[in-house]
Amino acid sequence: MKLETERDPDGGWYDRFVQLVDDEGQVVEEFGKNPTLNELREAERRHGTRINLWQQGLVCHDCGNQINDRFSAQQDGNLLCWDCATSAESHEQGGLRTNADPTKTVLSESKLHKKSLCDYVINVATGCRHGCKFCYVPSTPAVDNRDEMLDDRANVDDPQQDWGDYLLYRDDLPERVHQGLKETDFSSWKTTDRGRGIVMLSSGTDCYQDRRAAQITRGCVRELIEHDIPTRILTRSPNVTRDIDLFKQADRNLTVGSSIPSFDTALVSVLEPNAPPPMARWEALNDLFESGVPRFVSFSPTYPTMDRDDIHEALSWFSAVDPEVVFHEPINPRGINFEMCIEALEENELQSEADQFRELQERENWREYALNQIQMVRDVANRFDNLSIHTWPSHDLVEMTHGTQKQELKQIRQQISPEPFAE
């Protein structure tokens, strides 16, 4: 299917009616004049096809020029050419500042193969509305080294402190992924032993955090599926279920996971202030399970407040959706993000929990906690016949141990996730 435009005889050159036609030239849907990006992306999902938005006669809402290359949209969905998009002021609503993301990169090589997650990542945005206090992403070079851009595009003073308050979308990413994969020499595609050539959406933001991000994600995933590229999706959002129809087309060359560090709703709501509640995430996993979509769980970062009963409860819920793997990692107290966790707990009058977090700032306390929790998760998982735990002990933890224990942790770090989808 493709877009066609027809001039309005009573209007100017770019005053056109837009319609979607099939391969035989039959009109499938009429959009009228100036359809929004949301209308076009939802039509794409509704008809289960790709709709190219480049060089199709669509015009910029602000300047009236035809969209022939990169583009974005206003918050209300009106299309913008790249010149107008990159000069537009940010939009603020409900404390969240949004704008177009000028990032040129489409597909990035990733070191997450060390965790047996992927060899490449696609991030559909910069920033994340969830605002998880423990999130390490704002301290990574992809965000931390872009202070000037973030200030210019979204008035960001501090990428870490402002995390959850800004979100820059990459609206034209599906078109750019399409073009990039067409030009890719797959003989040079990076495929490590543990990354297995997998592309992950997303490592630096939640790819289903809202409808606009989900629309970008669907377009990118469609391109990856059509090129038979193994794909991993990680999200905290129940919005992921909107694309179950697409996931089924991947012929089990795709897996979908959700991050659920705890089922303590009160605690999670403080540390992940804008993210959906844990049970909503589990329900999304259950929908994937019932639909036969391969799935995994990210049980991380787990908290020092969790005892054996808490871990057993979580693993019981995970077992019910029969995941191919449960990735586990205990929380690490390094960085300002950990201090932000403590501050958030204290501000919400969870002093006992704050004290338990603060104790981990003593490195020996953290070492003991991390080793005990790793062992506890693995021991409890043995009670279930369908749970496979893939643990990630950090390099810091390995260096703080000795002898047999250190060798065991090194072996764990070298293990490959047991998921069959990318074999």
Side-chain angles (χ1 to χ4, degrees):
M1 295 185 184
K2 65 178 182 179
L3 295 178
E4 285 189 352
T5 59
E6 181 179 343
R7 283 187 59 197
D8 180 353
D10 298 324
W13 176 256
Y14 288 123
D15 195 9
R16 303 181 179 189
F17 297 98
V18 181
Q19 55 191 19
L20 181 66
V21 300
D22 61 21
D23 294 339
E24 285 73 41
Q26 300 297 312
V27 176
V28 176
E29 186 169 347
E30 295 181 344
F31 298 105
K33 297 180 182 179
N34 302 315
T36 64
L37 180 61
N38 176 63
E39 290 172 329
L40 295 169
R41 293 301 194 203
E42 286 303 297
E44 190 173 49
R45 184 166 77 96
R46 194 161 51 249
H47 296 289
T49 189
R50 175 180 185 273
I51 302 176
N52 179 35
L53 303 187
W54 280 349
Q55 300 178 341
Q56 300 299 305
L58 297 172
V59 297
C60 174
H61 177 269
D62 279 8
C63 70
N65 288 332
Q66 187 165 312
I67 293 174
N68 292 322
D69 203 331
R70 294 203 63 180
F71 64 88
S72 188
Q74 297 173 335
Q75 185 65 21
D76 58 9
N78 288 317
L79 288 165
L80 297 176
C81 69
W82 196 237
D83 284 344
C84 290
T86 53
S87 61
E89 296 292 328
S90 63
H91 174 85
E92 183 170 350
Q93 184 175 7
L96 181 72
R97 301 183 295 277
T98 60
N99 210 333
D101 188 335
T103 303
K104 295 179 180 179
T105 304
V106 174
L107 190 72
S108 303
E109 290 192 16
S110 173
K111 294 183 179 180
L112 289 174
H113 61 85
K114 296 179 180 179
K115 295 188 178 185
S116 201
L117 289 171
C118 62
D119 280 317
Y120 294 92
V121 296
I122 293 177
N123 283 302
V124 302
T126 296
C128 184
R129 65 172 62 231
H130 292 338
C132 300
K133 301 299 182 182
F134 49 73
C135 187
Y136 66 90
V137 171
S139 64
T140 63
V143 177
D144 191 44
N145 292 345
R146 307 177 73 198
D147 288 358
E148 185 175 344
M149 182 278 288
L150 290 170
D151 180 37
D152 177 62
R153 304 301 297 146
N155 300 314
V156 175
D157 292 327
D158 184 320
Q160 183 80 61
Q161 293 287 348
D162 291 352
W163 191 247
D165 296 337
Y166 59 94
L167 185 57
L168 308 181
Y169 296 95
R170 300 173 184 172
D171 290 307
D172 61 356
L173 199 54
E175 281 74 17
R176 292 197 287 145
V177 169
H178 175 80
Q179 188 64 34
L181 292 179
K182 278 177 57 177
E183 299 170 354
T184 295
D185 177 6
F186 286 98
S187 65
S188 61
W189 188 261
K190 178 183 175 183
T191 305
T192 63
D193 289 342
R194 283 181 285 166
R196 294 177 287 182
I198 297 168
V199 174
M200 178 174 168
L201 291 94
S202 292
S203 64
T205 189
D206 192 312
C207 56
Y208 278 96
Q209 61 192 283
D210 58 23
R211 182 168 59 181
R212 188 168 171 182
Q215 289 169 341
I216 301 169
T217 298
R218 182 181 177 97
C220 294
V221 171
R222 177 177 294 283
E223 300 297 335
L224 295 170
I225 289 174
E226 291 183 354
H227 285 84
D228 297 319
I229 296 172
T231 303
R232 182 187 302 282
I233 294 171
L234 177 60
T235 180
R236 281 176 161 80
S237 175
N239 288 334
V240 70
T241 58
R242 76 200 301 272
D243 287 341
I244 284 177
D245 64 312
L246 180 63
F247 302 154
K248 288 182 176 181
Q249 298 174 29
D251 193 24
R252 300 191 66 80
N253 203 26
L254 172 148
T255 185
V256 183
S258 186
S259 294
I260 308 177
S262 169
F263 282 91
D264 184 334
T265 304
L267 187 58
V268 171
S269 66
V270 170
L271 297 177
E272 306 176 27
N274 303 318
M279 191 52 67
R281 306 176 206 176
W282 181 87
E283 289 171 353
L285 283 172
N286 192 51
D287 288 343
L288 294 165
F289 169 47
E290 293 179 348
S291 300
V293 176
R295 63 223 154 269
F296 67 96
V297 179
S298 176
F299 189 33
S300 68
T302 46
Y303 309 145
T305 57
M306 301 171 72
D307 59 20
R308 185 174 290 269
D309 289 341
D310 296 323
I311 288 172
H312 186 273
E313 177 191 18
L315 294 181
S316 296
W317 283 109
F318 300 157
S319 175
V321 295
D322 196 22
E324 293 183 338
V325 66
V326 175
F327 291 95
H328 172 244
E329 187 172 359
I331 199 167
N332 194 311
R334 63 174 179 260
I336 189 175
N337 53 332
F338 191 78
E339 188 62 40
M340 290 172 63
C341 290
I342 297 173
E343 291 174 0
L345 292 168
E346 291 178 333
E347 289 171 1
N348 287 271
E349 300 182 352
L350 296 174
Q351 190 59 52
S352 175
E353 290 82 353
D355 291 342
Q356 292 180 68
F357 272 67
R358 183 174 283 106
E359 287 178 1
L360 299 189
Q361 292 181 316
E362 294 291 335
R363 298 302 283 173
E364 182 57 31
N365 291 343
W366 173 70
R367 186 187 76 88
E368 182 178 353
Y369 143 78
L371 291 173
N372 288 341
Q373 195 171 81
I374 286 172
Q375 190 60 52
M376 185 161 44
V377 169
R378 294 166 76 87
D379 287 347
V380 173
N382 287 332
R383 301 183 185 181
F384 303 89
D385 58 11
N386 67 337
L387 289 184
S388 177
I389 303 296
H390 186 82
T391 307
W392 178 251
S394 71
H395 176 74
D396 294 349
L397 183 61
V398 175
E399 291 303 305
M400 293 174 69
T401 58
H402 306 281
T404 302
Q405 193 173 57
K406 186 169 189 172
Q407 294 306 311
E408 289 176 351
L409 290 180
K410 284 184 174 181
Q411 290 176 5
I412 290 174
R413 280 173 62 93
Q414 293 301 316
Q415 291 174 356
I416 299 174
S417 166
E419 302 157 289
F421 82 98
E423 292 178 356

